[in-house]
Amino acid sequence: VQLVESGGGSVQAGGSLRLSCVTSGFTFSDYCVGWFRQAPGKEREGITTIDTSGTTRYTDSVKGRFTTSRDNGKRSLYLQMNSLKPEDSAMYYCGAAKSCGTIWNEFPNYRGRGTRVTVSS
C-alpha cells in the first residue's frame, strides 16, 4: 500500500495550493479517503473526508476555503486550498480507511508521509 502526497510548498496568506495524493495497493474506490494535518507541537487535526459515494465533510476552520475531491479512475485524492492563513501551516497527510471516522480521529493505517504547507503572513 502506498499513498504519496505532493503539492505542498510556501505561500503568502491569501494564496492557494492544490495537494494531490496518488495511491496504490488497495481498492481505492472502496475506501473513505481524506486529509489530516499536524503542526509542530500540536495534535493531529482531521480536515476533510470524502466517502465512497462522494459525500464530503470539512472541519469548521476550512469550510468555504478548502475543497476535496477524488478520482477513482486515477486512484487519487485532491485538496484545493484557497485563502490560506498562517494557521494552516502544517504537515498535510492523506489517508484511507473503511470508516471515515478513522481519518477524523486517528492516524489511519493507510496514510502517506505528508507534504509540508507553510503560509506566511
Side-chain angles (χ1 to χ4, degrees):
V1 172
Q2 282 195 319
L3 294 86
V4 181
E5 303 94 339
S6 62
S10 297
V11 296
Q12 290 191 328
S16 298
L17 286 172
R18 185 175 188 251
L19 306 185
S20 299
C21 173
V22 180
T23 75
S24 62
F26 63 102
T27 305
F28 181 83
S29 58
D30 288 349
Y31 283 71
C32 178
V33 290
W35 297 88
F36 58 98
R37 64 188 179 187
Q38 189 166 27
K42 295 189 177 180
E43 293 188 355
R44 53 140 282 156
E45 176 189 23
I47 303 169
T48 177
T49 53
I50 180 167
D51 67 13
T52 57
S53 67
T55 300
T56 56
R57 179 187 168 193
Y58 299 91
T59 193
D60 286 346
S61 63
V62 307
K63 282 180 182 177
R65 300 189 297 122
F66 290 12
T67 303
T68 190
S69 59
R70 65 188 295 165
D71 184 331
N72 290 340
K74 294 183 178 180
R75 306 174 55 83
S76 295
L77 172 68
Y78 307 98
L79 183 65
Q80 178 65 44
M81 305 187 295
N82 298 328
S83 302
L84 283 161
K85 304 176 180 180
E87 51 264 43
D88 294 319
S89 297
M91 187 71 82
Y92 283 69
Y93 301 87
C94 62
K98 286 290 190 174
S99 167
C100 290
T102 300
I103 298 172
W104 285 105
N105 300 315
E106 306 173 17
F107 284 99
N109 288 337
Y110 292 0
R111 64 182 184 269
R113 295 187 174 184
T115 186
R116 185 168 297 282
V117 172
T118 303
V119 185
S120 58
S121 57

